[in-house]
């Protein structure tokens, strides 16, 4: 979610379905696929593919609700705007708060994923260095271009294809590891794994907010959402099944770099540097975008007085929200130094699921004349977000609820004492 103020020129409607699909897939296929299968396997075991399907369905509902809301509220801001306009100011504030805290944890997860593949054994120092370096780049106004997004997507797809082919052709993958005849993980295990796997779909909302950039958005956006999410789901099912079949649930759950361990177990240790390079590209590319997006949201919330006004400052030379960027970078460094990858993924998933709870609740307030989605979509999305969020590991849920409560407390303090004339 990004926000902006002031007048903006209308973007040109130059993107077709293929462009929207590529941008959406590029936003989704990133570091998550290199890291999330291990904590998901710890929750669901051999039921991991079913958990992935559940996560994909919830992601589709969220994206569809967001797309319909974006058509009615075309201003930048995502659910920060939808919640405020449809449910009230508190809900908009909580959506923005959940986004900032969830995506800040995502930044830590991206940095730790990069370090786990690039330099096992020295993850934290390398992850801290990556955060500092990319925060410095963003401070000077560096952006990822659309061309770079496509290059990164092509490189990561090639690496994931190499993993699947290496495992499938090795003769060491055991289909019995995919059997559902083993231990049932329980609904908390299945849905908790789906909540973790939801992290790997992060970015799909990029399609939903492209209304001003695509040709015939009423047709193109729903089609692009279905194609991109469907394609990414098939890819994740292939990769997840491959690593599960060659490692087994227990070894997969214990892995800190599951795709590297999978190609090693398949007898292709020479591919480990290739996988590490793919993970580095995906993680650093996602981290660059995340620090950019979270800092802009932080700056916008500060400008609206939902966060300290000091964070709203814009650098006079580089034109970036430099105070917000430094603050976000500092918090991410703190998280990298104190939490592990699984905790970061769980906490991030909780925050983002709360964000989409509010999006689906907002979509339920759309009227028939506002192209409201079929009622089942926001209802299923809302219920799915609630179930997945509260099925995550207990520490993630407790920490998430505590941070949301703190956000609500800040809003109440602002409402009571922060308004002019009080």
């Amino acid at each position: 979610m990004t926000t902006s103020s002031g007048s903006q020129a209308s973007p040109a409607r130059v993107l077709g379905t293929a462009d929207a699909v590529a941008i959406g897939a590029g936003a989704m296929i990133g570091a998550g696929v290199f890291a999330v299968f291990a904590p998901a396997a710890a929750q669901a075991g051999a039921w991991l593919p079913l958990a992935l399907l559940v996560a994909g369905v919830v992601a589709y509902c969220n994206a569809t609700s967001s797309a319909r809301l974006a058509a009615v509220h075309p201003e930048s801001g995502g659910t920060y705007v939808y919640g405020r306009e449809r449910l009230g100011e508190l809900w908009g504030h909580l959506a923005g708060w959940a986004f900032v805290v969830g995506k800040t944890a995502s930044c830590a997860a991206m940095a730790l994923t990069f370090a786990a593949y690039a330099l096992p054994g020295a993850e934290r120092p390398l992850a801290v260095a990556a955060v500092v370096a990319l925060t410095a780049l963003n401070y000077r106004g560096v952006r990822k271009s659309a061309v770079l997004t496509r290059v990164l997507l092509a490189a990561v797809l090639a690496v994931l294809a190499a993993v699947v082919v290496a495992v499938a052709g090795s003769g060491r993958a055991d289909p019995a590891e995919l059997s559902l005849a083993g231990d049932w993980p329980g609904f908390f295990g299945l849905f908790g794994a789906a909540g973790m796997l939801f992290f790997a779909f992060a970015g799909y909302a990029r399609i939903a907010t492209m209304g001003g950039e695509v040709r015939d958005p009423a047709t193109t956006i729903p089609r692009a959402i279905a194609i991109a999410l469907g394609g990414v789901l098939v890819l994740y099912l292939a990769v997840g099944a491959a690593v599960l079949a060659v490692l087994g649930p227990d070894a997969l759950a214990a892995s800190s770099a599951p795709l590297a361990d999978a190609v090693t177990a398949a007898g292709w240790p020479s591919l480990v540097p290739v996988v590490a390079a793919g993970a580095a590209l995906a993680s650093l590319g996602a981290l660059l975008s995340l620090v950019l997006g979270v800092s802009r949201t932080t700056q916008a919330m500060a400008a609206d007085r939902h966060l300290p006004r000091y964070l709203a400052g814009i650098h006079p030379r580089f034109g970036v929200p430099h105070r917000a960027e430094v603050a976000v970078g500092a918090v991410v460094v703190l998280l990298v130094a104190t939490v592990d990858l699984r905790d970061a993924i769980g906490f991030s998933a909780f925050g983002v699921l709360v964000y989409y709870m509010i999006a689906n609740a907002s979509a339920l307030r759309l009227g028939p004349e506002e192209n409201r989605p079929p009622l089942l979509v926001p209802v299923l999305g809302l219920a799915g977000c609630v179930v997945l969020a509260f099925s995550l590991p207990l520490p993630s849920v407790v920490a998430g609820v505590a941070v949301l409560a703190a956000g609500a407390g800040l809003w109440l303090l602002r409402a009571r004492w922060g308004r002019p004339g009080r």
Side-chain angles (χ1 to χ4, degrees):
M1 182 184 74
T2 57
T3 59
S4 60
S5 59
S7 61
Q8 295 178 320
S10 299
R13 296 184 182 275
V14 297
L15 303 178
T17 300
D19 299 307
V21 169
I23 291 171
M28 281 185 279
I29 299 172
V33 71
F34 289 90
V36 77
F37 290 121
Q43 296 279 104
W47 293 77
L48 185 150
L50 181 58
L52 188 55
L53 287 172
V54 172
V57 169
V58 174
Y60 175 80
C61 293
N62 295 346
T64 300
S65 291
S66 297
R68 300 298 176 90
L69 285 161
V72 178
H73 301 285
E75 62 191 286
S76 298
T79 305
Y80 180 44
V81 172
Y82 313 149
R84 182 189 68 207
E85 297 297 322
R86 294 288 164 168
L87 303 173
E89 187 178 347
L90 172 60
W91 294 104
H93 168 82
L94 287 178
W97 183 262
F99 179 90
V100 168
V101 298
K103 291 300 185 179
T104 300
S106 290
C107 292
M110 299 300 103
L112 289 167
T113 299
F114 158 68
Y117 279 89
L119 196 60
E123 289 93 339
R124 294 193 192 278
L126 184 58
V128 167
V131 173
V132 171
L134 293 184
T135 300
L137 285 175
N138 273 331
Y139 191 97
R140 296 181 64 86
V142 173
R143 305 286 191 273
K144 271 202 327 179
S145 69
V147 173
L148 180 57
T149 297
R150 285 172 169 78
V151 171
L152 289 174
L153 175 60
V156 174
L157 285 174
V159 170
L160 296 178
V163 171
V164 173
V165 170
V167 171
S170 69
R172 301 187 184 185
D174 185 0
E177 299 288 3
L178 304 175
S179 172
L180 300 184
D183 293 337
W184 162 242
F187 285 108
F188 269 103
L190 179 67
F191 292 134
M196 289 285 192
L197 290 162
F198 184 84
F199 173 83
F201 286 98
Y204 58 81
R206 177 68 185 94
I207 307 172
T209 56
M210 292 169 60
E213 303 169 60
V214 300
R215 297 187 295 269
D216 189 16
T219 301
T220 299
I221 290 178
R223 182 185 299 156
I225 287 173
I227 295 172
L229 272 170
V232 170
L233 178 59
V234 170
L235 174 66
Y236 285 176
L237 283 170
V239 176
V243 297
L244 184 61
V246 76
L247 293 176
D250 294 337
L252 176 55
S255 175
S256 60
L259 271 63
D261 290 343
V263 294
T264 300
W268 286 89
S270 59
L271 281 179
V272 169
V274 176
V275 174
L281 287 173
S283 303
L284 294 179
L287 180 58
L288 182 65
S289 293
L290 279 171
V291 171
L292 184 94
V294 175
S295 63
R296 268 70 183 163
T297 301
T298 300
Q299 186 273 335
M301 293 184 70
D304 291 341
R305 299 185 183 275
H306 288 285
L307 290 175
R309 184 75 173 178
Y310 175 80
L311 297 175
I314 301 294
H315 195 284
R317 178 182 174 188
F318 300 123
V320 299
H322 57 300
R323 295 170 184 167
E325 287 188 344
V326 171
V328 170
V331 172
V332 175
V333 166
L334 179 63
L335 288 174
V336 165
T338 56
V339 305
D340 66 21
L341 176 58
R342 297 175 188 225
D343 290 339
I345 290 174
F347 183 74
S348 173
F350 186 89
V352 176
L353 284 163
V354 169
Y355 176 80
Y356 284 110
M357 287 180 203
I358 297 171
N360 283 295
S362 300
L364 286 171
R365 302 296 297 271
L366 290 171
E369 73 284 356
E370 295 175 302
N371 195 25
R372 182 177 61 199
L375 188 62
L376 179 63
V377 171
V379 168
L380 185 58
L382 176 59
C385 286
V386 172
V387 170
L388 297 194
F390 288 94
S391 298
L392 289 165
L394 186 59
S396 298
V397 176
V398 171
V401 169
V403 170
L404 283 175
L410 283 176
W411 184 86
L412 290 172
L413 288 174
R414 171 182 172 272
R416 177 66 179 86
W417 287 293
R419 290 180 178 175
R422 292 208 170 176

